[in-house]
Amino acid sequence: MKMKASVYLLTSILFVLLLSACGSKAYTPQAINEETDICVMCNMAVKDDPYATQIITVDGQSLKFDDIGCMNEWKVENGTDTIGAEFVRDHHSGDWVKYETAYYAYHSDYKTPMAYGVISFSSEKAAQAFVQEQGKGEVLSAEMLASHTWEVNRDMMNMEHMEQHKEEMHHTEGGSHS
Amino acid sequence: MKGLFKLSIGFISITALALSNGISVGGAQSPINKDLQAAIDSSAEGEVMVLASGEYEGPIIINKPITIRAEDGGTVTLMNRTEQAAVTIAADRVALVGLTIHDVRLKEQPSISIVKSDEALLHKLHIRTGSYGIRATDSNHMTIREALIEWGIPEEERKVKLSQKGNGIDLYHSHDNRLLQNTILSMHDGIYMENSDRNVVEDNRFERLRYGVHCMYTADALIRGNTGQYNITGAMIMAVRGAEVSDNQFTRQNENVNSQGILLFDAHDSVVQNNEVAGNRVGLYVEQSTGNLIAGNQVLGNFIGLQLLKAENNEMTDNVFAGNVVQAEARQSTSNTLVSNYWDSFQGIDADGDGQSDLQYAISPLFQSIVKAKPVFQLFFQSPSFVFLEGLYQSDRGSWTADSGPLMKPSLSRAGGQAMQTGTNLMTAAAGLLLLLIAISILLLMGVRKP
């Protein structure tokens, strides 16, 4: 009888250890599966391209987005309490980079899947080089991105605003669009 | 010049488009790229070049208003083995008629590239591409009709991911174009329109694509009379205002876990009318959309007929929801006006005989809310326990999306619904009769105890 109790105790200790091991594990981004992944916000298929971003929630759920702007929308709507980690991808290598350590290039003419015009890079240098190469745009750090206005290059809800915007809009080679 | 190459020159006015007098270039087996480009370069504005049957080598660049057409009944193939666009149109009023364009490489540049050129006419083209079919930027008042655009790299030769393919017809910042009676197969999106207004997409056929029609940031698009099958989504209507989506037929979009017949997202003040969405995973999907009229649609035999998510102030009327596993799901959707729709699984009571049920048809938000929090619970779709739970769940029922006067019968104006209804009734009658006959014969043959 005593034997059995100690077995139970041991098992439960092991189980608790196992759980805590899970808890302390670093959040790792999942690979994009183009067949099944859709953006949590806008429902579009998420391409396995550098525009894709990802949130891993504290309970380990992976939320994928086709554009960093959609990820921002999600945070506005749901808050940041449930977020374990946020990932973006380097525009050149496609490697996952932590949102906080990445650098960003923004211009309303840059083409991104949902037209937010924000592109991510693993280093500040790469972001600067991209802006230079495009001849327009600005480099933002993650902190600066927090105060970014997240305008899409054309807002269908507010058409008046859009009409003004239209004049400045000219097609440019800012990455490929979907 | 090679012997087989013959060149006869004649000028023709635009008004007399009689074919016989044009410049005719080419010969049965003379793939002479240089010469086609040279003929274009030496042509006069407004000229009509008629190409003799045969194979020509691309790429070509057209920078003046001319017409290039295949001879009547002939097959003119423009081969392109380069990374460039097979045809670049860089002038207004260029017309291409009856050509076959075969782009053999997997590449970035589209098969036909149209940049800052208005009033192009592309008629009866057959495009086999390893990239985009036709990509137009800053180009207005074009007409693209009766084209067949298909992915040109055989799967056994090179299997590519869906995202490596280009769109069939891709418009960027291009307005007032007409895309009519085209067939687009196995590409990425069939017709993609971004920042492009007042385009007409009519009577096209879309198969085995990612999205049949895909709008992003467009105003006043007219999408009418198109058909789509086996795409991930038939019509992806995103970030639009003032669109009309009518008389389309999107069936069997059900192979992908995210398939829909028609999806509206961030769509405002648009009309979705008289479409047939049948046999899809989700028939009509409406999210974050306001001020739309959704009327007279046939939503038949989908897994989920209607999904409303954060949709507000839309009007839904005269739609028929029949034979769907789940008729409708709605979450966080308020101030929508639903009236006079027909929901075949709903049992209403019509005491005053006005054809509308006196009981409202309320749409439970339970399943959608739970799946939103825990996607794996989709496994319980229509499981008996879940249906039971849904029956119990009544919380905050006042704020649910509800049809205030659901129809007792599908509206008579919709012939399709009627036909289906009679069909089912006949089948039921036949089955009943058969069962009765079997029962009687069993009784007669075996049921009487013999003394």
Side-chain angles (χ1 to χ4, degrees), chain A residues 34-36 38 41 43-45 59 61 77 111 113-115 152 154 156-157 159 166 171 177-178, chain B residues 137 163 170 172 192 194-195 197 211 216-218 238-239 241 256 258 265 268 285 287 310 374-375:
Chain A
E34 294 194 345
E35 293 285 314
T36 55
I38 55 169
M41 288 310 289
N43 300 304
M44 254 170 53
D59 55 3
Q61 200 180 330
E77 196 175 295
K111 283 181 151 194
M114 286 299 286
V152 290
R154 188 174 181 189
M156 301 315 287
M157 280 283 264
M159 289 283 274
K166 224 160 148 180
H171 173 53
H177 64 292
S178 62
Chain B
T137 307
S163 63
D170 183 289
Y172 185 82
Y192 178 83
E194 183 174 344
N195 280 325
D197 297 343
Y211 309 141
M216 292 286 278
Y217 306 103
T218 69
M238 303 180 63
R241 198 176 191 100
N256 188 279
N258 304 307
F265 179 84
H268 310 280
Y285 183 105
E287 181 168 355
K310 292 186 257 172
K374 292 274 177 247

Side-chain angles (χ1 to χ4, degrees), chain A residues 2-142:
Chain A
K2 210 172 175 194
M3 182 64 182
K4 207 170 183 185
S6 59
V7 167
Y8 274 132
L9 193 69
L10 200 67
T11 325
S12 41
I13 288 171
L14 275 177
F15 190 64
V16 168
L17 279 176
L18 197 74
L19 278 184
S20 60
C22 280
S24 63
K25 208 173 88 182
Y27 300 102
T28 48
Q30 285 183 8
I32 302 287
N33 179 352
E34 294 194 345
E35 293 285 314
T36 55
D37 285 334
I38 55 169
C39 175
V40 177
M41 288 310 289
C42 78
N43 300 304
M44 254 170 53
V46 180
K47 284 190 193 177
D48 192 10
D49 66 15
Y51 301 107
T53 68
Q54 187 169 172
I55 286 174
I56 307 290
T57 62
V58 281
D59 55 3
Q61 200 180 330
S62 160
L63 307 174
K64 300 186 181 101
F65 305 89
D66 64 341
D67 189 310
I68 188 174
C70 285
M71 183 159 86
N72 178 68
E73 287 268 301
W74 190 90
K75 288 191 278 185
V76 170
E77 196 175 295
N78 299 283
T80 51
D81 297 347
T82 56
I83 296 177
E86 294 172 67
F87 296 95
V88 297
R89 296 177 97 169
D90 179 66
H91 190 66
H92 300 303
S93 67
D95 292 342
W96 293 101
V97 186
K98 285 235 168 168
Y99 172 84
E100 309 84 61
T101 62
Y103 282 84
Y104 302 88
Y106 166 74
H107 191 280
S108 62
D109 281 353
Y110 293 170
K111 283 181 151 194
T112 68
M114 286 299 286
Y116 286 95
V118 176
I119 295 174
S120 46
F121 297 89
S122 58
S123 72
E124 190 172 10
K125 227 163 91 184
Q128 270 162 357
F130 183 82
V131 168
Q132 221 148 55
E133 183 192 311
Q134 296 294 316
K136 61 188 155 192
E138 53 185 319
V139 175
L140 303 167
S141 65

Side-chain angles (χ1 to χ4, degrees), chain B residues 273-293:
Chain B
Q273 198 159 248
N274 300 344
N275 299 287
E276 183 188 329
V277 284
N280 305 293
R281 192 189 67 101
V282 179
L284 275 177
Y285 183 105
V286 183
E287 181 168 355
Q288 287 180 41
S289 296
T290 61
N292 302 294
L293 172 68

Side-chain angles (χ1 to χ4, degrees), chain B residues 376-387:
Chain B
V376 289
F377 282 15
Q378 287 177 87
L379 284 172
F380 294 114
F381 179 75
Q382 282 306 89
S383 79
S385 54
F386 219 100
V387 173

Side-chain angles (χ1 to χ4, degrees), chain B residues 36 40 49-52 54 56 60 62 67-71 74-78 87 95-102 112 122-128 146-148:
Chain B
L36 182 53
I40 292 166
M49 291 172 53
V50 179
L51 302 188
Y56 298 78
I60 56 172
I62 306 171
T67 296
I68 300 179
R69 62 188 308 156
E71 68 176 353
T75 310
V76 172
T77 306
L78 180 67
V87 181
L96 296 179
V97 184
L99 308 178
T100 298
I101 294 166
H102 191 182
I112 298 185
L122 306 182
H123 188 201
K124 290 195 171 167
L125 300 183
H126 178 186
I127 301 173
R128 294 176 62 202
E146 293 172 69
L148 167 62

